[in-house]
Amino acid sequence: MTEQQFRRQATEKVKQIVDCIADHEYAKLEAITEIDMDLYHCFSTKSEAIEKITEWLDRSLCMWSEAEHKEYVIDHFDEKYFILHWIKEKSAFGSFMPHSYGETLDFLFEFEFVLEDHHVICNFSMNI
């Protein structure tokens, strides 16, 4: 796989994840991303980790909305906010800066990518 193909697959994975989050289609996340259970070791399953991550996200957006008297959401994917930081032979690290109505939020979505059988596998986490 060329670096350009790797980059294209990684970008598509991030788009799917961000758009699922923006649309509150959290149940779809389990099928399109992995969760680093070493990082989220306090949860017993991938499903539980996704559930708790998205609950935290929803609660945070709600609290910010109440405190600022304006709605906070996660905008759909915009490639200009995605950075693929480095690519090695079969792996990469990337980040996406989520926005709400175009305004930068105070956390990152982070991704580790690994190439397996010509497919890019994506591990998702949030850096708060």
Side-chain angles (χ1 to χ4, degrees):
M1 173 178 288
T2 67
E3 184 175 323
Q4 183 180 21
Q5 290 168 320
F6 187 104
R7 186 175 297 276
R8 190 173 28 250
Q9 278 193 31
T11 301
E12 182 55 32
K13 290 279 186 182
V14 172
K15 179 185 184 323
Q16 290 174 342
I17 293 165
V18 172
D19 288 349
C20 279
I21 292 170
D23 292 334
H24 296 270
E25 294 178 334
Y26 302 142
K28 292 182 179 181
L29 290 173
E30 193 166 351
I32 60 175
T33 190
E34 295 298 322
I35 298 291
D36 184 348
M37 293 308 288
D38 289 337
L39 183 62
Y40 293 103
H41 56 72
C42 57
F43 306 115
S44 57
T45 65
K46 175 180 163 181
S47 295
E48 182 184 10
I50 289 172
E51 179 184 338
K52 296 302 181 186
I53 290 167
T54 54
E55 280 178 9
W56 175 88
L57 181 58
D58 284 343
R59 279 194 317 271
S60 296
L61 294 171
C62 184
M63 287 187 316
W64 297 334
S65 295
E66 290 173 4
E68 299 289 328
H69 304 292
K70 64 180 184 179
E71 184 180 25
Y72 280 88
V73 299
I74 299 295
D75 292 346
H76 285 88
F77 180 78
D78 186 331
E79 191 168 354
K80 68 184 172 189
Y81 302 125
F82 174 58
I83 299 170
L84 201 53
H85 296 285
W86 48 260
I87 298 177
K88 290 185 179 181
E89 276 185 40
K90 295 184 178 186
S91 64
F93 174 78
S95 63
F96 180 82
M97 178 62 71
H99 287 69
S100 177
Y101 297 108
E103 182 180 329
T104 303
L105 296 172
D106 292 333
F107 59 91
L108 287 173
F109 294 155
E110 293 182 333
F111 307 91
E112 287 184 58
F113 304 99
V114 178
L115 183 63
E116 291 182 8
D117 297 325
H118 302 287
H119 297 284
V120 175
I121 307 300
C122 177
N123 277 294
F124 168 71
S125 64
M126 284 196 306
N127 188 337
I128 304 164

